[in-house]
Amino acid sequence: MNNDHHWNQVSLPADDRASGRKLLRGLVDSEVAVVVCKDLLGDKLLQSGLRQIRDHYGKKFATQYVNGTLTTIGPYLAKHLSRPEEYFANASIIDEVFPEPDFDLRHIVRDRLKSLFGLQSMKVQEEPGGQRYADSIVRVHADGVCNPLHNDNIMRDAASTGLSLAKLKHQLSCIVCIQECDQGGELISYRKTWNEEDEAFKIKGGLGYDRSVVRDVPRTVFRPQTGDVYVINPTNYHEIERVGGKDRITLGFFIGFYDDELRNAVVWS
């Protein structure tokens, strides 16, 4: 059974706020697989962002798993849920990557998405005690690297931590393609969220799940190009195909909502 492209990818012009509201709801409800903003950033911004990231390649950190490697600049919360103090201590690393306010891709993308999705606010998440979350993360997929099948659900994963993000109602993910790779690197999203029975398919000691968990599930295949800003619902299963050639470099952050109004968002990585 071929389920490719049975789940929609939608391109959203940078000035189409009416469609932006509808597509935001579509993402939350898993009716839309990927919303792609093709004209949100210009070449000058992208080139500056790439230069700043490459200037900070020395801050890359590789986390090894039995079935893959995650190379990042800046921390990601899912790795530190048992030691959140380590996460907060390193949350400002990403600030060092973008020291030039006029070329700070993080703030520019957030401001433009806020407008496009008709939001009242889009703030970096903070804990009541004042700990500020990392607002984004850089991911580097080098030649030969893939991302195994997985899903991201902070409401589930942080449920026992006492962190405020566990109280979110909805979670989305925004990714900015800073540099596309030469071959591969496709994002494959499946229209299926996690349930407890899926743990039987969990890869022991490794990342994510065996592909059997999404057998016969509708999916979409999206190959990001340099400059694409795209949003998905990461609580659905997704994976990244093996990268070929030059590094696949992205800037990413999660977007959360505490209610169904979808007007006030928080971000973190």
Side-chain angles (χ1 to χ4, degrees):
M1 180 177 177
N2 184 355
N3 287 303
D4 287 9
H5 310 295
H6 284 199
W7 195 23
N8 289 343
Q9 305 171 25
V10 182
S11 289
L12 179 60
D15 57 355
D16 189 355
R17 284 184 57 177
S19 296
R21 289 298 299 167
K22 293 176 185 175
L23 291 174
L24 179 63
R25 176 63 64 181
L27 284 164
V28 163
D29 294 341
S30 294
E31 293 172 356
V32 177
V34 186
V35 172
V36 190
C37 309
K38 286 253 176 212
D39 49 1
L40 215 59
L41 302 171
D43 288 341
K44 188 176 180 182
L45 271 175
L46 287 165
Q47 289 303 315
S48 175
L50 179 60
R51 174 180 54 78
Q52 292 179 89
I53 289 169
R54 287 200 171 279
D55 285 349
H56 290 84
Y57 254 30
K59 297 185 185 298
K60 285 190 304 180
F61 186 83
T63 305
Q64 303 286 343
Y65 298 89
V66 297
N67 62 331
T69 302
L70 289 182
T71 301
T72 60
I73 302 175
Y76 55 99
L77 183 60
K79 179 184 173 183
H80 294 91
L81 285 172
S82 62
R83 304 175 308 280
E85 66 280 357
E86 289 184 14
Y87 168 85
F88 289 116
N90 291 293
S92 62
I93 288 175
I94 195 69
D95 295 332
E96 301 169 22
V97 179
F98 298 103
E100 305 170 31
D102 290 343
F103 297 99
D104 190 331
L105 286 180
R106 305 170 302 166
H107 296 158
I108 292 166
V109 169
R110 288 205 303 269
D111 285 346
R112 294 180 183 176
L113 279 184
K114 177 186 170 187
S115 174
L116 188 55
F117 287 140
L119 303 179
Q120 292 171 358
S121 65
M122 195 175 201
K123 300 177 180 176
V124 180
Q125 177 71 18
E126 290 188 9
E127 283 298 304
Q131 302 102 314
R132 186 177 184 272
Y133 284 72
D135 65 12
S136 56
I137 192 169
V138 171
R139 294 185 179 89
V140 180
H141 292 79
D143 181 65
V145 171
C146 63
N147 251 89
L149 183 71
H150 68 288
N151 59 80
D152 304 287
N153 186 326
I154 198 63
M155 297 79 81
R156 173 196 65 204
D157 297 339
S160 63
T161 65
L163 294 173
S164 54
L165 289 175
K167 298 174 184 175
L168 286 172
K169 193 167 183 68
H170 302 292
Q171 177 178 357
L172 301 176
S173 181
C174 175
I175 305 97
V176 183
C177 182
I178 308 294
Q179 176 178 279
E180 64 189 276
C181 50
D182 294 319
Q183 299 94 31
E186 295 90 352
L187 166 72
I188 306 179
S189 292
Y190 299 85
R191 196 174 186 179
K192 174 179 166 55
T193 56
W194 174 91
N195 61 60
E196 287 191 27
E197 292 77 38
D198 294 348
E199 289 306 287
F201 298 94
K202 190 88 169 66
I203 295 172
K204 291 180 172 58
L207 275 173
Y209 296 77
D210 186 275
R211 278 201 179 99
S212 302
V213 78
V214 290
R215 183 179 292 132
D216 293 336
V217 171
R219 70 177 195 169
T220 194
V221 180
F222 169 65
R223 189 178 193 280
Q225 297 177 312
T226 300
D228 285 352
V229 178
Y230 54 104
V231 184
I232 65 170
N233 184 333
T235 65
N236 291 296
Y237 282 93
H238 55 285
E239 60 185 322
I240 296 173
E241 293 279 62
R242 193 171 306 280
V243 164
K246 63 187 176 188
D247 291 350
R248 181 190 194 271
I249 303 173
T250 59
L251 175 73
F253 54 90
F254 292 117
I255 304 170
F257 298 93
Y258 284 100
D259 57 40
D260 271 325
E261 293 295 312
L262 305 184
R263 289 289 182 184
N264 298 290
V266 295
V267 303
W268 79 98
S269 70

